[in-house]
Amino acid sequence: MNDSQWTIGIVILVLVSFILVGLKQKARESMEYGFGGRYTGRIGGGAAIASNWMSAASLMGLAGLIYLNGYQALAYVAGWTGGYVLLLVLLASQIRRFGKFTAPDFVGERYGSPAARFLTAVICIAISVIYCVAQFKGIGMIFSFLFGIDYRHGVIYGGLAVISYLVLSGALGVPRNQQLLYFVIITSFIVPLMWLAHRLGYFWLLPQFSYGEAVGDLARQYRIDFAAPFNSGSVYEWCALCFTLMVGTAGLPHVLSRFYTVPNLRDARWSVVWGLFFIALVYWSAPAYAVFGKLIEARMGHVLPPAAARSMADIIVLKTAVLSGVPGWLAGILAAGALSAAFFTVAGLLMTGAASVSFDLYYRVFHPQASELSRMKVAKGATLALGGIVLLLALNPPGLIAEITAVAFALAGNTIFPLLLLGIWWGRANDDGAVAGMLVGVVCTFAQPLFGSLSPTVAALFPLTSSALCGAPLVILVMIAVSLATPPPPEQMRRFLASEVHGHLG
Amino acid sequence: MSRQDPRYHVNLFRPKEGHMKDEVLIILIVLIGWAVVTFGFQILLAFSRGRGIGDLLTGLTLFGLPLHFWFTGQFLPLWFIILCLVFNVYIDRITAYHSRKRDRTYE
């Protein structure tokens, strides 16, 4: 076998072994799995949080943007880790005590409004679709890289592969082993990086630290200043992006439900700390890929022009590894890690999205008498329909992986986050405020494409990837104003918030 | 708002006595630590460019990286872990304290 066949072989082996391990686990124990896995303690809970979080955006998109924009792209590193602070201190315990674990459920219960529930469900489905488009782009790029085909064919074959994988594991009833997934992702990301550092002549044991020397070498030998601050964007853009990613984290539908897999509140809180550590391990390493990628290009004597660099930035992790001559099996491990992260992210998002179509839209709004069976059918159909929509959108991806993902974060930060925040921390917030807030939030998210050509100020204040720095506070103000102008929510809900969610009356 | 029973008012900036007051205090402290270190540093970096502090931040190196790059790329994720750790330790302590006082606010 030659190198690329080895690579493809390893990828297939890893994906198949997930199914086999899952089946074995299922046969061994017939436990209730619920939202994704049995309880395995705080560290296991942390690994589950981290593997749930890792996607093509973290493993491919992040390094790509740092490779392109240097310091400016570190906003993604800070934004995708700092969001967990907000989530932990402001929302995690309270939402758990509230007892609703999807955003539409929470909004429907807290604000007591079918309209607000409907809007939330539609927004959550939109977030899932946008997020999946980015994953499909990653899958398509890996497929086109592995098989040497063009991107469009790559995304079609990759999309079909991920949907068949979803159908197959759904039909077999395979439980997801989140701890194993995290282990595969982290190993496949860091071992090739160590190899790379060794090959380029840096300290290989901790490439997260030794890439610093490579940054220095780039500046000294090749006059490429990788670290210069705010070279490809302003400090406003940096802060807006970072803030958007942070509030978006707390509003993402699939992140929220993670807090329900751990049986008690205290362990749930502590597993966030472990989860954040496991996530940070990847984010400490991703810049190293970007720097080594740049260095290899510089050493080989052809630094790509901006347009060409942009078109291959999302595959920089794999490309760097192959250019430096890693053996085929190691490239396969690297590709397999990124692919499994993308596969499982897509699987999770499409399934929750389809469940939301079936439950929140079909059952709650259109057919309240629908039977269990017909709801199941709708859910299965919706999975395929959503997959098809994502595939169509991914054929002409509107940006880089991390940029597309950032739009999903902006939408979540502008709509779901304010609703959760005020819903928990301000008893007076009511249904009219919620509906008004969500509508304003959607407009804020898409303000740049909608009104950007009319007003340059709007385009500057609400960049598409980073609209929540101005958007989220604006939505919160709108919610407060509208809530105060309309009747307060029912006494019963206010009592529930005060006595159950915020503890004993003292 | 006076016609409503004031015991049922929930407001982040007007917490009830007991567990919630202690909880809100640590939440606000952590949020300030989060905001100042993340965004304050970037603003300092942008406005001190070409001046003494700015040159120091970009000129000094740690692990081979310029100080500002190390701070944002490596220290910030660590700082967030520390914040979560501090928050959890503190919440565990006030929970134990208030459950001794028979203030069964938790779980």
Side-chain angles (χ1 to χ4, degrees):
Chain A
M1 287 214 288
N2 64 21
D3 263 9
S4 66
Q5 283 168 332
W6 265 110
T7 311
I8 294 166
I10 295 276
V11 169
I12 294 172
L13 187 73
V14 169
L15 289 172
V16 170
S17 63
F18 271 112
I19 292 187
L20 295 180
V21 170
L23 284 178
K24 200 172 168 205
Q25 190 182 339
K26 188 182 163 199
R28 201 173 56 229
E29 49 195 301
S30 55
M31 288 176 73
E32 190 59 51
Y33 280 98
F35 264 77
R38 71 218 145 102
Y39 178 57
T40 43
R42 291 174 180 180
I43 298 181
I49 288 177
S51 76
N52 188 53
W53 173 257
M54 291 304 155
S55 68
S58 307
L59 299 173
M60 303 170 66
L62 184 61
L65 267 173
I66 298 174
Y67 163 81
L68 283 181
N69 296 337
Y71 184 83
Q72 197 71 18
L74 289 186
Y76 282 93
V77 173
W80 278 337
T81 46
Y84 276 93
V85 177
L86 286 184
L87 188 60
L88 175 70
V89 305
L90 283 172
L91 298 172
S93 321
Q94 287 77 14
I95 286 188
R96 200 188 144 105
R97 268 179 259 158
F98 194 99
K100 294 288 170 208
F101 47 84
T102 70
D105 263 355
F106 174 84
V107 170
E109 181 80 14
R110 166 65 181 83
Y111 296 99
S113 149
R117 187 195 179 95
F118 176 80
L119 263 179
T120 314
V122 172
I123 288 171
C124 282
I125 294 166
I127 292 170
S128 299
V129 167
I130 299 173
Y131 211 100
C132 279
V133 170
Q135 305 302 317
F136 268 52
K137 187 185 176 197
I139 295 170
M141 300 244 351
I142 293 184
F143 266 66
S144 79
F145 191 85
L146 286 183
F147 295 101
I149 48 183
D150 63 300
Y151 169 75
R152 290 174 73 92
H153 283 94
V155 83
I156 290 170
Y157 294 143
L160 291 178
V162 69
I163 291 171
S164 343
Y165 194 74
L166 187 60
V167 170
L168 180 68
S169 43
L172 294 172
V174 181
R176 283 168 70 178
N177 189 326
Q178 304 258 17
Q179 284 78 29
L180 177 70
L181 180 61
Y182 179 75
F183 179 76
V184 168
I185 289 174
I186 193 74
T187 317
S188 69
F189 199 63
I190 288 183
V191 171
L193 187 62
M194 288 175 165
W195 194 94
L196 211 58
H198 182 68
R199 177 86 178 199
L200 293 172
Y202 299 100
F203 179 57
W204 62 274
L205 201 58
L206 281 173
Q208 292 87 347
F209 291 107
S210 60
Y211 79 86
E213 264 180 73
V215 172
D217 290 347
L218 267 176
R220 273 191 302 277
Q221 297 170 12
Y222 303 101
R223 308 247 153 265
I224 299 174
D225 192 354
F226 206 79
F230 312 120
N231 254 1
S232 44
S234 65
V235 63
Y236 173 80
E237 282 165 355
W238 197 101
C239 290
L241 178 60
C242 185
F243 184 83
T244 299
L245 300 174
M246 285 172 168
V247 293
T249 302
L252 276 188
H254 69 293
V255 172
L256 197 63
S257 56
R258 268 274 130 233
F259 290 102
Y260 289 84
T261 51
V262 181
N264 74 69
L265 192 49
R266 194 162 169 225
D267 285 354
R269 274 195 287 102
W270 278 103
S271 64
V272 174
V273 179
W274 281 106
L276 191 53
F277 171 71
F278 290 141
I279 290 169
L281 276 183
V282 169
Y283 289 1
W284 282 320
S285 315
Y289 273 107
V291 171
F292 289 153
K294 208 67 168 190
L295 188 69
I296 288 175
E297 274 182 13
R299 281 192 186 173
M300 293 171 80
H302 55 90
V303 174
L304 291 174
R310 196 175 159 82
S311 73
M312 49 71 54
D314 277 334
I315 198 83
I316 187 74
V317 170
L318 258 181
K319 201 187 153 209
T320 302
V322 170
L323 273 185
S324 73
V326 301
W329 59 270
L330 198 55
I333 289 178
L334 183 59
L339 259 189
S340 17
F343 266 43
F344 284 101
T345 306
V346 168
L349 285 171
L350 284 187
M351 279 192 319
T352 41
S356 190
V357 169
S358 155
F359 185 76
D360 296 312
L361 302 185
Y362 175 73
Y363 175 64
R364 284 293 180 131
V365 180
F366 298 112
H367 281 273
Q369 308 88 7
S371 66
E372 189 87 18
L373 192 69
S374 66
R375 272 158 53 193
M376 281 290 280
K377 275 185 191 154
V378 170
K380 281 179 184 163
T383 313
L384 295 179
L386 289 179
I389 293 171
V390 171
L391 184 56
L392 281 179
L393 290 173
L395 281 175
N396 293 303
L400 296 175
I401 294 174
E403 292 171 339
I404 303 171
T405 315
V407 177
F409 276 76
L411 183 56
N414 280 331
T415 54
I416 312 290
F417 177 72
L419 257 76
L420 297 177
L421 184 72
L422 290 186
I424 290 291
W425 286 107
W426 192 45
R428 183 67 176 74
N430 67 9
D431 50 343
D432 296 316
V435 172
M438 269 191 281
L439 294 176
V440 173
V442 172
V443 173
C444 285
T445 309
F446 300 105
Q448 190 194 9
L450 289 176
F451 312 112
S453 51
L454 301 175
S455 152
T457 322
V458 169
L461 286 180
F462 296 94
L464 187 56
T465 55
S466 346
S467 51
L469 181 59
C470 293
L474 182 68
V475 170
I476 290 174
L477 288 181
V478 167
M479 278 185 72
I480 292 176
V482 173
S483 294
L484 286 177
T486 46
E491 181 72 23
Q492 202 190 351
M493 176 46 65
R494 300 166 61 112
R495 191 185 304 233
F496 172 74
L497 264 188
S499 59
E500 296 297 320
V501 179
H502 291 291
H504 189 253
L505 294 171
Chain B
M1 300 249 272
S2 56
R3 65 207 156 76
Q4 301 253 333
D5 187 335
R7 286 188 304 160
Y8 301 137
H9 282 177
V10 170
N11 189 327
L12 178 60
F13 298 105
R14 263 174 280 159
K16 293 171 293 160
E17 287 295 328
H19 187 283
M20 189 178 174
K21 193 158 195 165
D22 293 343
E23 190 184 18
V24 165
L25 181 72
I26 185 70
I27 289 177
L28 294 180
I29 290 172
V30 168
L31 286 182
I32 290 169
W34 164 83
V36 170
V37 174
T38 311
F39 301 106
F41 179 80
Q42 306 306 327
I43 293 166
L44 174 74
L45 184 63
F47 286 97
S48 67
R49 248 175 139 175
R51 273 176 261 160
I53 303 175
D55 287 344
L56 213 61
L57 287 176
T58 49
L60 289 178
T61 56
L62 198 62
F63 304 113
L65 285 168
L67 188 61
H68 71 288
F69 195 97
W70 175 82
F71 186 93
T72 307
Q74 304 204 320
F75 176 71
L76 274 185
L78 183 66
W79 174 243
F80 297 139
I81 297 173
I82 295 171
L83 283 177
C84 289
L85 202 74
V86 168
F87 178 80
N88 275 344
V89 168
Y90 191 86
I91 289 285
D92 282 351
R93 280 179 54 187
I94 62 171
T95 304
Y97 173 76
H98 286 286
S99 50
R100 270 204 300 281
K101 284 179 66 185
R102 292 170 147 266
D103 173 9
R104 46 159 203 88
T105 53
Y106 214 57
E107 307 192 5

